[in-house]
Each structure stands twice: as structure tokens, then as C-alpha cells.
Amino acid sequence: MKSIPSTAYPFRASWPARIGWAALLLYTLYAMASLDFNLGRFISGFGNGALFLGRMWPPEFTRWQLLVEDLVESLQIAVLASAIGVTLSLPLGMLAARNLMPAWVTWPVRGLIVLCRSFHPVITAILFVKAIGFGAAAGIAALVLFSIGFIAKLFAEAIEEISLKPVEAIRATGASFPNVVIFAVMPQVFGRFLNFSTYQIEVNLRNSTMVGIVGAGGIGGTLFAAFQRFDYDFVAAILLSIIALIMVGEALTDRVRTLFQ
Amino acid sequence: MSAPTRTFQRFTRGRRLLRFAVYLLSLAAVVVSLRTVAIIPEFLADAPHQMLDLLTRMWPPDAGHYAKGVHQALIETLHVATLGTLGTVFLAVPTALLATRRIVPWRILNRLAQLILVSSRSVNTLVWALLCVAVFGPGAVAGTVAIALRSIGFVGKLLSEALAETDTGPIEALRAIGAPWPSVLAKGYWPQVQPAFWGIILFRWDINVRESAVLGLVGAGGIGMALDTALNLFYWDRVSLILATIFAVVVLMELLVTVIRRRIL
């Protein structure tokens, strides 16, 4: 019988790990130096921060009509972008699933999805502001692309993980392809699809408050303008209402998710 | 013998009604938004023409500009994302520990830490960047701090969930032999949450690279500054170059993260 060597020590640090940590430390120092981090800046930053917070208080809600108008526009952008994005993601996700479609279909669709996902919605919003002009339409278009990038990808992955037995059974009855999708594929993935969609509604709500920074509608434009005018008490009011809107939205989608589980 | 009269129903009547109400309300929300949203039809009619104009102005990308104005900004963006992620580890780990009831048994501290996590997540990166620019002045420092502050919520929440799901056996064993709390953390919790921890950090790093690309639009450094300048001066061929660079970096980043994840997990 072999005995366990007495020197065995389960938590020993290995040399590659040590070298890795040292490299990380060196990188941190180098990067901090190249970005011009220094203590003086932080100390003066904290002074500025205190001044800034002082100017933000109390939040100014006297222009609440403008605030509500903009919040409603953000909400509209989020709702429409989610609706269109989810509707488009359903077929796209299916086309991108490798176990349902031949390779010559999945590759272009997958490329499209990756392209949608790579750019931050604010960047696509810039392009759409140029293409379809200032206002909510550009914001909606940008968030639709962003939603497709996420839901279609997750949906395709969900479809790729399904059990193929029901699919075979339905095929064996001589069902057409749409029937296979409706009766064998959808029952297995629809719950997850709803989950992704409610999650995406939350994300769209957050981003719909931001696309306005580049002129694509919603409350972001007002926020950015208030910042540039050093109107910090109004900034505080806008930020508080955005946070409230997002929290209410999250609570609602949470309820809906438990309802559909 | 009579046939059974009860039919199987998956959900109770109340739940079905609630579900129906959700469908109805969602539809109503879409219809109302569609009818009230301020879309200018002339702009939409003009869109194909404008899109074509945009594409012809963007092609070919001004590749010669890369070495002069983009490369430096790109490196800065990568530094901002990486340093921000490193910084967030120092802020998020204590917060996650405080937020986990199994580790810190005081409810007030749990609630406080959860409040920090939620407020960090509710404020968008761009808003954090605006605030940090106001505090630290324009530049990459503001961007790094913004990335770090925004990531606390994400990393802290997932880490605290991972901590709450750990197996109690090893921890009880350590406590029983009288191990002090640092040892319980290092030898009881850490080995169990380590895979989750690296996964979360890598995931957030990937997200941060994407997000740090837009920070420059509000003056917080990185490639977004170059993009903003090119946009304001209508150098569309430079815009397309920068967009292509961002796309390449994001795709490479995703590949890199996948490779590292496969290697260490």
C-alpha cells in the first residue's frame, strides 16, 4: 500500500501562478503611469467631488414637466425597441441554430448577430442619427439592433441545446418543417425565450435613457445638456428619476418572470 | 362507471388571468407607444438616401490615419478597461462579502452592501463617466474610475450569489477546528468560489472593453475621443476606420476570453 507523502500540501502556490501575479502587478503599475494616475489628482478629485455633490443638493424638480415628457419618450423607445427586437430575434435565432439549419444559412446569420452585438448601442445610435435624423426613431433602431445581438444569440444557443427526441418523433409523423418547429422546438425553448426577452426589456430601458446623449431621443439628451450647462441640481433630479424608473421596471419584469415560470 | 369530468389544467384560473393581463398590457404598451412616439415621417422617407450617402462617405476607410490618431487611443481604451476591471475587484470583493448573509451575519450591513450594489448597477457607465469627468476632469482617469464603479454592482452581485451557494461542509469543518476567519475565507470559501470568480471577472473584462470604447463621447478618454473628434469634423472615412478597429478589438477580445476561460476553468 502506498502511503501519502507527508509533504503534500494542498494549497501550494505554483510558479506559473506567482509569475502571473507579478506580471499583473507590473502591468498595473505601467498602465497607471501611462494613464497619468497620481495621488494629487485623486486628492483634488475628492475635493471636487464634495463640491459637486454640494451643488447637486437639493435636486431641482421644478421642471418636472420636461422631465416626465423625456422619461415617457425613453419608455416609448424601450417598449418599441424591445417589441421589434424580440419579434425579429425569433426567426433570426432559429436561422442561426446549427442543429436546425444548414451551414450556408447559419454562418451569414451568425455573422449578422455578431455584428449587431459588437457595437455599443450609443455608437449605432450615432450612425442612425445621421441616417434617420434626430429623435426617437434613431434610438429605437439602435436598440433594435442591440436586442437582436443578444436575444438572437441566446435563443440560438437555447435551440442548439434542445433534446432531439421530440423533433425526431414529430418528423416521424410526417410533419412539415413549420410543424416541427411549432410542436417540437418551441415548447422546449419558449420559456427561456421569454426569460431572455424580459431581461432584454430591462437592458433596453437602461440604454433608452442613454441614447439621447448623441441625439437619439429620450431623457439622455436633457441629462447631457444639463451637465454641459453645469445645471447640477437638475442633473440630480434627472438621475434620481432615471434610477426610480429603472427600479420600477426591474420590479415589474421580475414579477412577470415569476408569473411565467 | 362515468368518465372523469375533471380536465387537466396546468395553471390555476388566477394565474391564467394574470398571464392574459400581461399579454394584453404588453400589447397595449406597444400600441400606445407606436401611436404617441415622436417620429418625423419625412426623416424616415429620407433614410435610404441618407444611409447610402453615409456609406459612400465612409468607404474607403482612411487606413493611413490609424498610426497617427487611433492606435494610441486604442491602447488607452484597453488600459482603461483592464485597470477599471482590476480596480473593481478591490471594491467589489469586500462589498460582496458584506452582502452575503452567511459571511457577515448582520442584516444592516447586508442591506447596506446590497444598496451599494444596486445603485452601482442602476447608473449607466456613461452616466458614471459624466460624473467622474465632473470630479476628476476629462481624461482616462475619469473613464477608469467610471468603469470600476459601474462594475462593482455586476461583479459584487454575481460573486455574492456564488458565495451564498457554497457548500457548508468545509466551512463548518474549518470552524470546528478553530480556524480564524481569514483562514475560513481563504481555505473554505475561496477554493469553492474561485472558478466562478475568474469567470465573472473575465466576463466583465470583455464587457468593459466594449463599454470603454464609448466613454470618450462624454470626454472620459480612449478611442471614443477619437471617434467623437472624427464625427464632429465629419471625417466619415475616419469614423469607419475607428468602427472597424472597435469591431476587430471586440471580436479578438471575445476569442481571447474564450481561450483563457477554457485554459483556467
Side-chain angles (χ1 to χ4, degrees):
Chain A
M1 208 172 104
K2 252 170 49 181
S3 67
I4 301 163
S6 60
T7 51
Y9 178 56
F11 299 114
R12 191 173 42 196
S14 64
W15 271 106
R18 276 182 201 154
I19 292 168
W21 286 114
L24 196 62
L25 185 70
L26 279 179
Y27 166 76
T28 309
L29 293 177
Y30 162 71
M32 281 175 92
S34 80
L35 292 190
D36 207 17
F37 263 87
N38 56 51
L39 200 62
R41 206 161 165 184
F42 265 89
I43 291 167
S44 72
F46 283 120
N48 284 343
L51 197 69
F52 180 60
L53 283 178
R55 295 260 293 277
M56 277 174 110
W57 194 262
E60 195 218 51
F61 281 101
T62 49
R63 273 175 282 173
W64 60 272
Q65 274 161 324
L66 179 65
L67 203 64
V68 170
E69 217 170 273
D70 283 340
L71 278 178
V72 167
E73 195 177 31
S74 280
L75 209 59
Q76 289 167 337
I77 293 175
V79 167
L80 288 177
S82 309
I84 303 172
V86 164
T87 320
L88 289 177
S89 300
L90 202 60
L92 281 176
M94 220 167 287
L95 287 177
R98 277 177 289 211
N99 53 356
L100 286 186
M101 292 285 162
W104 59 268
V105 179
T106 57
W107 277 108
V109 177
R110 283 178 164 259
L112 180 74
I113 293 172
V114 168
L115 197 65
C116 286
R117 204 155 37 96
S118 320
F119 292 113
H120 196 281
V122 172
I123 293 183
T124 34
I126 295 173
L127 298 180
F128 279 116
V129 166
K130 158 75 175 128
I132 37 184
F134 286 100
I140 294 171
L143 289 182
V144 164
L145 283 195
F146 186 61
S147 310
I148 290 175
F150 268 94
I151 311 186
K153 176 191 183 242
L154 292 174
F155 190 47
E157 280 173 5
I159 294 179
E160 283 173 3
E161 284 166 14
I162 61 171
S163 153
L164 284 174
K165 285 173 189 164
V167 178
E168 240 172 76
I170 302 277
R171 271 210 188 118
T173 64
S176 62
F177 182 74
N179 277 335
V180 170
V181 167
I182 293 171
F183 293 107
V185 179
M186 287 315 275
Q188 295 192 54
V189 292
F190 198 66
R192 291 184 72 187
F193 181 69
L194 276 183
N195 242 349
F196 302 146
S197 306
T198 48
Y199 177 68
Q200 189 62 36
I201 292 173
E202 280 171 28
V203 174
N204 281 347
L205 191 58
R206 278 162 210 237
N207 282 323
S208 71
T209 59
M210 281 305 103
V211 287
I213 287 182
V214 293
I219 200 165
T222 316
L223 176 69
F224 197 40
F227 252 109
Q228 286 182 325
R229 287 197 310 261
F230 306 107
D231 215 351
Y232 290 137
D233 45 357
F234 192 41
V235 166
I238 296 175
L239 286 182
L240 288 178
S241 27
I242 289 180
I243 293 175
L245 179 72
I246 289 171
M247 283 186 173
V248 170
E250 269 184 31
L252 273 180
T253 46
D254 251 8
R255 286 302 304 272
V256 169
R257 243 187 309 241
T258 48
L259 188 64
F260 280 90
Q261 248 158 22
Chain B
M1 214 168 86
S2 63
T5 48
R6 285 192 303 169
T7 49
F8 171 73
Q9 277 181 334
R10 195 171 155 204
F11 301 109
T12 61
R13 179 178 294 256
R15 274 190 87 141
R16 268 182 296 142
L17 273 177
L18 271 177
R19 282 177 166 224
F20 183 68
V22 169
Y23 287 133
L24 203 65
L25 281 178
S26 322
L27 197 65
V30 171
V31 171
V32 168
S33 313
L34 204 57
R35 299 193 62 145
T36 52
V37 75
I39 290 179
I40 303 164
E42 286 81 14
F43 281 179
L44 273 186
D46 197 26
H49 175 71
Q50 290 286 348
M51 202 79 104
L52 199 67
D53 180 51
L54 183 67
L55 289 178
T56 48
R57 277 167 202 262
M58 280 178 139
W59 193 261
D62 181 10
H65 185 62
Y66 179 81
K68 263 189 297 172
V70 180
H71 183 74
Q72 198 59 40
L74 176 66
I75 298 295
E76 196 175 76
T77 293
L78 292 176
H79 281 330
V80 165
T82 314
L83 269 186
T85 312
L86 285 175
T88 218
V89 173
F90 289 101
L91 298 168
V93 169
T95 322
L97 291 175
L98 280 180
T100 315
R101 207 172 145 59
R102 292 226 346 243
I103 296 173
V104 179
W106 292 290
R107 183 145 282 175
I108 300 174
L109 283 178
N110 296 155
R111 281 285 144 79
L112 188 70
Q114 272 155 6
L115 185 71
I116 294 175
L117 296 183
V118 169
S119 44
S120 151
R121 262 180 306 138
S122 314
V123 178
N124 195 289
T125 315
L126 277 173
V127 177
W128 276 122
L130 279 169
L131 295 174
C132 290
V133 166
V135 171
F136 294 107
V141 174
T144 312
V145 178
I147 289 279
L149 288 176
R150 171 67 173 85
S151 311
I152 295 176
F154 181 91
V155 175
K157 178 174 183 253
L158 293 178
L159 191 60
S160 132
E161 278 168 10
L163 283 167
E165 281 164 13
T166 46
D167 183 13
T168 44
I171 289 137
E172 267 172 34
L174 279 165
R175 290 237 172 89
I177 57 166
W181 65 266
S183 306
V184 176
L185 280 184
K187 313 290 189 200
Y189 285 104
W190 172 241
Q192 292 194 55
V193 296
Q194 200 182 9
F197 175 79
W198 292 118
I200 296 165
I201 296 294
L202 282 176
F203 188 27
R204 190 65 219 182
W205 189 33
D206 188 18
I207 297 175
N208 282 346
V209 169
R210 283 156 209 252
E211 299 219 311
S212 60
V214 291
L215 290 178
L217 294 174
V218 295
I223 201 165
M225 295 274 241
L227 181 65
D228 199 34
T229 316
L231 280 168
N232 288 339
L233 301 176
F234 302 112
Y235 280 131
W236 289 103
D237 48 352
R238 289 186 186 172
V239 171
S240 60
L241 168 77
I242 294 169
L243 290 184
T245 316
I246 294 177
F247 180 67
V249 168
V250 165
V251 170
L252 282 179
M253 206 46 209
E254 207 165 313
L255 288 177
L256 179 69
V257 164
T258 319
V259 168
I260 299 180
R261 196 188 294 262
R262 207 171 292 155
R263 188 63 73 74
I264 65 171
L265 294 187

